[in-house]
Amino acid sequence: MIEELLTLNEVIVTATRTVRQLSSLPLPAQIISKKDISRSNSIRLSDILNEQTGLITVPDFGSSEGVQLQGLDSQYTLILIDGVPLVGRSAGTLDINRITVGNIKQIEIVKGASSSLYGSDALGGVINIITETPKNGFKGNLNYRLGTFNTNDISTAINFKKNDIGVIAFLNKYSSDGYDLIENDNLNTVEPFANYTMNTKVTYDFSDDTDLFVSGRYYTQNQDYISSEDLKGESVINEWNTHLKLSHEYNGKWNSYFEFYATRYKADEYLDTNDGTRFSDNFFNQLMVRPEIRAMYNPNDENSFIGGIGFNRETLDRTDFTTDPEFNSFYTYFQYDGNPTEKTNIILGVRFETHNIYKSQFSPKAALRYELNDKIALKGSVGYGFKAPDFRQLYFDFTNATVGYTVLGYNAVANAISQLEAQGQIANIIVPISEFEGELNPENSVSINIGADYKLSSTLNLNVNVFRNKIKGLIDTRIIANKTNGQNIFSYYNVNKAYTQGLEFNYTWMSSEQLKISGGYQLLFAKDKEAERAFKNEEVFARKNPSSPSFQLEKGDYFGLYNRSRHMLNLKVFYAIPKWGLDTNIRATYRSKYGLQDSNGNGYLDVYDIFVDGYTIIDFAINKTLYKNYQMSFGIDNLLDFTDAQNISNIPGRIIYGKLNIQF
């Protein structure tokens, strides 16, 4: 029975775009079940992802919260809802706090380059949020959670399915008074906000062989926007997604489907002075449309083939852009999934993508799993991933009105520099304009994962994974000219080579149906190859303080990339007493020290810089079921009341909450 509990419903679709049992997969992947999400009482996606091995959510300068995976920045992880991507990366980060967990069926995480199936942005991996689909009968639920900072989360879902038609509708409102970690600056760390999410799915079975799936999602948020004591305004976000899929099974071996997906992300914000004068207006309006046709062929139980073709069209209208850009790309992909022997599974995949702006990309991937015996299986994968230059890196034309510096997209440099020269604003050109006549190339990575699954007993499962992501063509910024006002002009270029490598270890122990203990650990080294060379050649110096003499640094003094922790751990204990209708859990995460900036002025993160201290977050929850259909919950997030006002804006301190769930 316990063994069945460990494997029940553990099927994953993200890794291969087909239904696969998680335990037999040759790729590093994991599933977060609806049961674990529900028992933890989490309300936003970031709450869940922070508790997973090798994942940490990191806020950017605009307070958007993205997820770092295997040491790779959030811009290299593709976020999907029901297999299709979200847009709206205004500064490279897709804010996962706009995703509620109230209607999530499960979350699937695939680590390692996945561009062979998903194209750009999947350089580091994929996180797929799978929402609920209609089930037979009529049912519904109502959830309400009230917590610290007057944080309110209320949601309801209604499900109906009879015969050939099914409908599920979900509505969520999430609001908060915000919080302030620094009391004397007259600004809040997070301003008051309110957002709404509406999601509807409709399924219709035309026959036993043909079915239709249609879904729509709408998200809107309104938040105070305060830049200083004298500048106040408002930020409004509106996002919609529509998704249609028509599937048909021709026979026991062939099936296919047509998919159409469209999404728009729109953000508007303004600032006014105290006398009501408009100081600034900013807007961001991105549209993506994608049709795709996919076919699957299963000649027998041991082999399967999948292939597809599709077209992406993206447009963006944004403040401080030189033009209204448009991306058009055509892609095709193919994958083989086979079992040449009873103990061996092989996956071979490839994707080819053309684009109207950057060079065509060819993305292969291979994975192998071999069962040594009933307890131990070895697995490994290697894949190529790429991250296309985004609209901002190509077309940005921004000048800071207060300080006076300028940031130019790669394709905007030639015209913008000519205009600034004509206006007499250029003092010196550092990088010749001729260097911007070519293309800004996509970033690319070769990802290697090697691991093992060990079923120690029917109650204890272990797995270990060693990974290395070797990244080339990193897009970075550099000074290309000096202005007559003493400020600089920046632009983007391909230069750096970097890597992230380390080890991940996970375990799950279920000693009984009542007790489940799981946890994990990640060891991470993330470094810039050019920085390693400079330290090795003894070209880097530092000062312990501004008045002390400089001294030469050694190879071992280089710490690595910014905002990466060497060690991360998590531990989760779930305990249930079914006869009392009671379950409780305690969940802990630890992140070791990391550096946010170069404090001694040599341009690198070394051991003599100032680091953010390591910290531990402990969450506790208890749930009591009453009369089958009612559940009351109480919990404390961040039990130790950890805060770091100067460096960590997304941890507000201790949060105490109560929750009520009603099933009907």
Side-chain angles (χ1 to χ4, degrees), residues 409-472:
Y410 185 91
N411 291 4
V413 168
N415 288 336
I417 291 293
S418 297
Q419 293 176 9
L420 291 172
E421 278 188 309
Q423 297 165 7
Q425 295 190 46
I426 301 295
N428 179 43
I429 294 179
I430 299 173
V431 179
I433 304 303
S434 59
E435 290 199 16
F436 296 89
E437 294 176 354
E439 295 178 339
L440 187 63
N441 295 320
E443 301 168 279
N444 63 82
S445 170
V446 175
S447 173
I448 300 172
N449 286 267
I450 300 173
D453 296 329
Y454 183 26
K455 185 185 291 185
L456 191 62
S457 68
S458 62
T459 62
L460 179 59
N461 287 343
L462 310 174
N463 72 73
V464 63
N465 181 57
V466 178
F467 63 89
R468 180 177 174 91
N469 298 290
K470 185 178 180 181
I471 312 163
K472 295 182 179 180

Side-chain angles (χ1 to χ4, degrees), residues 154-170:
I154 183 168
S155 64
T156 184
I158 297 175
N159 172 95
F160 171 78
K161 186 175 183 182
K162 184 177 182 181
N163 298 328
D164 298 329
I165 190 167
V167 180
I168 188 168
F170 172 79

Side-chain angles (χ1 to χ4, degrees), residues 171-184:
L171 174 64
N172 172 259
K173 178 186 177 183
Y174 177 50
S175 63
S176 174
D177 289 346
Y179 57 87
D180 188 17
L181 296 176
I182 304 175
E183 296 182 357
N184 301 320

Side-chain angles (χ1 to χ4, degrees), residues 526-546:
K527 299 191 175 184
D528 186 315
K529 297 287 286 184
E530 175 60 27
E532 282 191 319
R533 184 201 62 78
F535 276 82
K536 181 180 179 181
N537 294 340
E538 300 180 342
E539 300 172 358
V540 184
F541 295 81
R543 286 185 173 91
K544 292 185 177 180
N545 58 68

Side-chain angles (χ1 to χ4, degrees), residues 389-428:
D390 60 34
F391 287 115
R392 171 179 51 96
Q393 294 164 337
L394 293 176
Y395 301 107
F396 212 30
D397 186 355
F398 169 76
T399 297
N400 183 280
T402 304
V403 181
Y405 66 85
T406 296
V407 182
L408 300 175
Y410 185 91
N411 291 4
V413 168
N415 288 336
I417 291 293
S418 297
Q419 293 176 9
L420 291 172
E421 278 188 309
Q423 297 165 7
Q425 295 190 46
I426 301 295
N428 179 43

Side-chain angles (χ1 to χ4, degrees), residues 16 20 23-28 336-349 365-372 377-383 448-453 465:
T16 62
R20 281 290 306 267
S23 61
S24 68
L25 200 66
L27 304 166
Y336 166 72
D337 186 347
N339 296 278
T341 70
E342 185 178 348
K343 296 184 176 183
T344 307
N345 177 229
I346 296 175
I347 295 177
L348 301 173
K365 186 167 188 174
L368 171 68
R369 185 178 190 272
Y370 181 74
E371 293 184 8
L372 290 177
L378 304 178
K379 58 185 180 181
S381 64
V382 57
I448 300 172
N449 286 267
I450 300 173
D453 296 329
N465 181 57

Side-chain angles (χ1 to χ4, degrees), residues 124 225 266 362 396 524 571:
Y225 183 46
K266 187 177 181 181
F362 181 78
F396 212 30
L524 174 68
L571 173 66

